[in-house]
Amino acid sequence: MSEYFYRMLPEEEMNQVSYIPTVPEFVEWIGKKWGDLPAVSDIENTYSYREFCSRIARRRTVLRGLGIAEGDKVAIWERTSIDAIEMFLAALSAGYVGIMLPTQLPGPAVAGCCAKFGVKVLAVRDEFSAAAEGVPCKVISSKSIGDSESPVAKVDKDAPAAIFFTGGTTGAPKGAILPHRALMRGSFNGVFAPGSQLAHHRQIGLLPLSHVFGLIRGTMSAFYTGSEWFSAEDTKAAIGKLPVIKPTLLVLVPGLCEVLSGLAKMYGPQFFGGELKMIIAGAANVPPKLISEFDAMGIRLLAGYGMTEGGNLSTGNADVLTRPTSVGKVYPEQELKIVDGEIWMKGDNVFLGYYGNPEETAKALTPDGWLRTGDLGRIDEDGYVYITGRIKNLILLPNGENVSPEAIEEPFYKCEALRDCLVREDSIDGTPVIAIEILPRMEAFEGKDWAEVESYFKKLVDQVNATLPGTHRISKVTVRKEDFKRTGSLKVSRNQQ
């Protein structure tokens, strides 16, 4: 299975990289390996890898001067900025546990998080400083940087490195503890993509650093490959700078892929700057139509599968044109199996547990180290993995059978006129039924009235129903004029109340 990924990189590049199990080792490695290559930029300021790692070392000096102990928690409340990623890497390479707080949190929620997780230091963006008053810990500016460098700590690969919030589309947020080995395994997995990857790419941090996909594949993997990473403190403004930055690779959620596809239709593919060759999409289902749309522009849209508890990246698919509904094969040095329809994972990518929540940890981790993902799936004879739904989303039919709403949704995503949909349980006159809500791509209905739009999708439902068992058929159809309520990663929230 590993050869699937090892053959993606040119042999001379494969010989230059290997799995580095801790963040302190990684920070030292990229400084020496990539040296004078550009590492991070906000367009006005660009720092080489040598300068970047020196700045991280000077931030370690600030943190150590606060009198906190190794293993203590340092939270960062910042936008997707150079300050944010430098402070995060400074904390982890100094032996502390980093927590990236979502920028949309209100002040009281930040204070609550600091109390809940026992945060000792909060590094705050200046514009958030007033809202951070009253937090139960030391507060410093996220711009804080010392005059002298402090060395990296020696940490065990199994030591906690970071805590990420996770809850999926329906669950209450929990704090998933990733050890160094898991964070770095996910970062190493992100190195693998078809073609030359080392010292080759320019990419923009369009996803928030508080999201594991944005931090690991969108940022850490960029440093692993010697790419130049551009900050995106304002996502909309950063998208407007695509023609200037001329990215060669982007890491996005499908919702942002939809946005960029729409912009390309309005302004032409040159809106991306003319050099974009690859998009890595994840954190939600990637509709095959998006893969086709970008392929027509000469851009490879690659998909995969992962979760916060599994170090972000667990499978990757380089064969999206021939297997568009698969999430690919399992990355090297990881195990994946199907138990009673559920995907289980094992390896150094697996998390340590949920902070302060032994009950939920016991539900997720088996005594022998397998992670119960909660995702339903299958593996075909060639080793390709397919996601068929979430256990907690299953609909219990009147006959006692379970049906996956995601499985019913899948054929609808083949429709070019559909943007998103949501299958759920509902009722008609008190009788339980399967319902669907559909969000159209309105540009496909230019000049049509709303009745025609509704008629189109009701016919589509009839066509899909004809392929389903009688007990699985959709009985209630709603065509939406307004967008769905979405999660932070732009997934459609299963809870639309």
Side-chain angles (χ1 to χ4, degrees), residues 66-255:
L66 297 172
I68 57 176
E70 287 193 15
D72 281 344
K73 299 171 188 68
V74 175
I76 298 113
W77 194 22
E78 249 286 3
R79 298 192 185 277
T80 306
S81 66
I82 294 174
D83 287 330
I85 193 60
E86 286 183 352
M87 192 63 78
F88 180 78
L89 290 177
L92 272 62
S93 61
Y96 307 124
V97 178
I99 305 174
M100 282 289 190
L101 297 175
T103 56
Q104 69 270 22
L105 288 180
V110 170
C113 287
C114 289
K116 177 179 179 179
F117 294 108
V119 170
K120 298 296 184 181
V121 175
L122 174 64
V124 180
R125 185 179 177 89
D126 289 347
E127 70 177 282
F128 301 153
S129 58
E133 291 182 4
V135 297
C137 63
K138 296 178 181 179
V139 178
I140 63 172
S141 168
S142 59
K143 294 185 176 298
S144 300
I145 189 165
D147 295 324
S148 62
E149 297 184 9
S150 178
V152 299
K154 292 188 181 298
V155 301
D156 189 273
K157 66 178 183 178
D158 292 313
I163 297 175
F164 289 92
F165 298 107
T166 180
T169 57
T170 59
K174 299 184 287 287
I177 308 170
L178 288 189
H180 284 263
R181 57 170 168 76
L183 192 151
M184 291 310 307
R185 176 59 73 181
S187 302
F188 179 58
N189 289 345
V191 170
F192 297 104
S196 179
Q197 301 299 318
L198 303 190
H200 179 78
H201 286 298
R202 289 186 307 280
Q203 63 185 81
I204 310 174
L206 291 173
L207 300 182
L209 296 174
S210 58
H211 192 285
V212 71
F213 189 44
L215 194 141
I216 291 183
R217 183 58 183 90
T219 306
M220 294 289 285
S221 296
F223 301 148
Y224 228 128
T225 57
S227 301
E228 183 175 10
W229 179 88
F230 288 82
S231 61
E233 297 180 21
D234 180 296
T235 301
K236 186 175 180 180
I239 289 174
K241 293 176 182 176
L242 288 172
V244 176
I245 295 173
K246 301 182 187 297
T248 60
L249 181 150
L250 291 174
V251 177
L252 305 171
V253 293

